[in-house]
Amino acid sequence: QVTLVESGGGSVQAGGSLRLSCTASGNIRGISDMGWYRQAPGKQRELVAQITKRGRTTYADSVKGRFTISRDNDKNSVYLQMNNLKPEDTAVYRCNAEDWMYGGTHWTQGTQVTVSS
């Protein structure tokens, strides 16, 4: 059993910054890629950023240059530093972790990020 717990999020004005954290616990031996997705009202869920266990990163075009994903394998944690936030970044952000032993993906419930103009 793997549990993901995220923290961070909240409300900020445009141009501000927020940091999301996500930590995995339990039977984590099979955890590989970790990442962040978001879903805004009326829109489909989209990948924000993803990072492999070796640190290879992927970003959505809309966040490149503003968001940074990082990972601490010793702490089984992944982070998303979000700078220069825009109103269009407003969404529920969810952390996920691919698990090859489990044969699927673990998810957090999500945290709201609201950016006001």
Side-chain angles (χ1 to χ4, degrees):
Q1 184 77 9
V2 172
T3 301
L4 293 180
V5 177
E6 66 183 315
S7 61
S11 297
V12 66
Q13 289 192 327
S17 299
L18 287 172
R19 186 177 190 242
L20 305 180
S21 301
C22 175
T23 298
S25 61
N27 187 6
I28 59 170
R29 288 175 296 167
I31 297 296
S32 56
D33 296 358
M34 298 183 76
W36 295 92
Y37 282 72
R38 68 186 181 187
Q39 187 166 17
K43 294 188 177 180
Q44 288 190 332
R45 183 176 65 195
E46 62 172 348
L47 172 69
V48 178
Q50 191 170 37
I51 186 167
T52 68
K53 207 163 186 178
R54 293 189 177 186
R56 185 173 182 177
T57 58
T58 303
Y59 292 95
D61 287 342
S62 59
V63 306
K64 283 180 182 177
R66 301 188 297 121
F67 290 12
T68 302
I69 189 170
S70 60
R71 181 169 181 165
D72 186 333
N73 290 327
D74 290 337
K75 295 183 179 179
N76 308 308
S77 296
V78 63
Y79 310 96
L80 186 68
Q81 178 65 43
M82 304 183 290
N83 297 328
N84 190 22
L85 282 158
K86 303 177 180 181
E88 51 264 42
D89 295 317
T90 296
V92 174
Y93 285 69
R94 300 178 72 188
C95 169
N96 80 341
E98 302 290 340
D99 188 338
W100 60 266
M101 289 186 68
Y102 169 69
T105 305
H106 305 285
W107 292 90
T108 59
Q109 294 240 352
T111 186
Q112 178 70 43
V113 170
T114 302
V115 184
S116 57
S117 57

